[in-house]
Amino acid sequence: MADTEKYDGFTAEERDAMKQRAGELKATARRGSRTAKADGDAEVRARIAEMTDADRVIAERIHDIVKANAPELAPKLWYGMPAYARDGKVVCFFQSAQKFKTRYATLGFGDLAQLDEGTMWPAAYALTGLTPDDEARIGALVKRAVS
């Protein structure tokens, strides 16, 4: 495609994410909810292990922070990325920078997250690394999200 042409459809990365999501839904239907949390943790850890070094380090820390601060959330894959759900519904998720070829990874929160502040609040955060202060802030956000 020439540089002057505009493409209005889905990118290859977006199509891949949709295929991954369809596969996740099929796997959940086959497996049922009886082993979802244990299987989800293993699937999330395996996906994190496949990430590039920079994304992997952040994703591993996010995984540990979520498990420590909201153990009631079940790890699962969501569009091929790590997510953490209550009753099957995503509360928060991690998206690697590599996934959609962006300059930063993202920690996002779904509409079930209890982060409301007035009429406007952040629902996603850009991550290029994690400091101890960042980790503490994320831990507090996750606790608040499930409160």
Side-chain angles (χ1 to χ4, degrees), residues 32-55:
S33 61
R34 67 193 185 300
T35 59
K37 192 165 186 176
D39 289 350
D41 189 66
E43 290 171 347
V44 165
R45 287 183 182 281
R47 186 57 49 92
I48 290 171
E50 296 171 358
M51 293 179 184
T52 62
D53 289 345
D55 286 336

Side-chain angles (χ1 to χ4, degrees), residues 61 65 129-138:
R61 288 301 305 135
I65 291 166
L130 289 178
T131 67
D133 287 344
D134 297 333
E135 292 181 8
R137 184 172 176 203
I138 291 168

